[in-house]
Amino acid sequence: MILFQKKSVLSVKDDKTNIIHKFSVPENIGALKIKYEYSPKEVADRELAVNLIKDCFKKYDEHIVGRPSDYLPVKNLLTLSLDDKKTYRGASHRQSNNQEILISADNATAGYEKGDITPGQWTAVISVHSISCDVEYKLQVEGEEIQ
């Protein structure tokens, strides 16, 4: 059963922010399956990307070598963390922009803690580490009922 779904577009004004989503987990859920993706992973506009790198050269100019184009591609990075109603359950600070996360009493995706799926309010946090263009993200939380 789908417990939560969200699709949204972020802009560069959302850079270095956290997007908080709260969702309810009912009784008798034995596992959570979370699908999380965002796009684009890389800035497609080459001129924009090179200009972003040039701006970084100006900001951090002491030991930079090479041309701005040597530092392509410019990548967007959003990560996901999860809390149940009592505690932090983990995070996935991976470079992949398409992830599936499983949490159950017996198993959990690397970076997350296995354990009972407690009913109540949970929180998914999308940390916007770096975006340099408009980025669309999708988040879906599915609960598997205990048989």
Side-chain angles (χ1 to χ4, degrees), residues 5 26 28 45 82 130:
Q5 279 185 291
N28 297 318
D45 181 333
L82 194 64
S130 178

Side-chain angles (χ1 to χ4, degrees), residues 88-115:
Y88 175 76
R89 292 296 291 261
S92 46
H93 288 159
R94 298 172 181 79
Q95 289 294 323
S96 175
N97 61 323
N98 189 346
Q99 299 179 31
E100 290 191 17
I101 298 145
L102 171 71
I103 300 176
S104 70
D106 300 323
N107 194 13
T109 300
Y112 294 86
E113 291 184 28
K114 65 183 177 181

Side-chain angles (χ1 to χ4, degrees), residues 32-75:
L32 293 178
K33 287 185 178 180
I34 302 162
K35 294 179 184 176
Y36 168 64
E37 62 184 80
Y38 65 91
S39 181
K41 177 63 181 170
E42 297 178 357
V43 176
D45 181 333
R46 182 179 170 86
E47 183 178 350
L48 171 63
V50 168
N51 285 332
L52 290 166
I53 295 167
K54 285 179 182 178
D55 289 344
C56 288
F57 273 25
K58 290 175 191 170
K59 187 174 180 179
Y60 306 106
D61 64 348
E62 290 184 34
H63 302 293
I64 295 177
V65 295
R67 299 166 297 164
S69 60
D70 295 340
Y71 293 85
L72 293 172
V74 172
K75 295 181 180 182

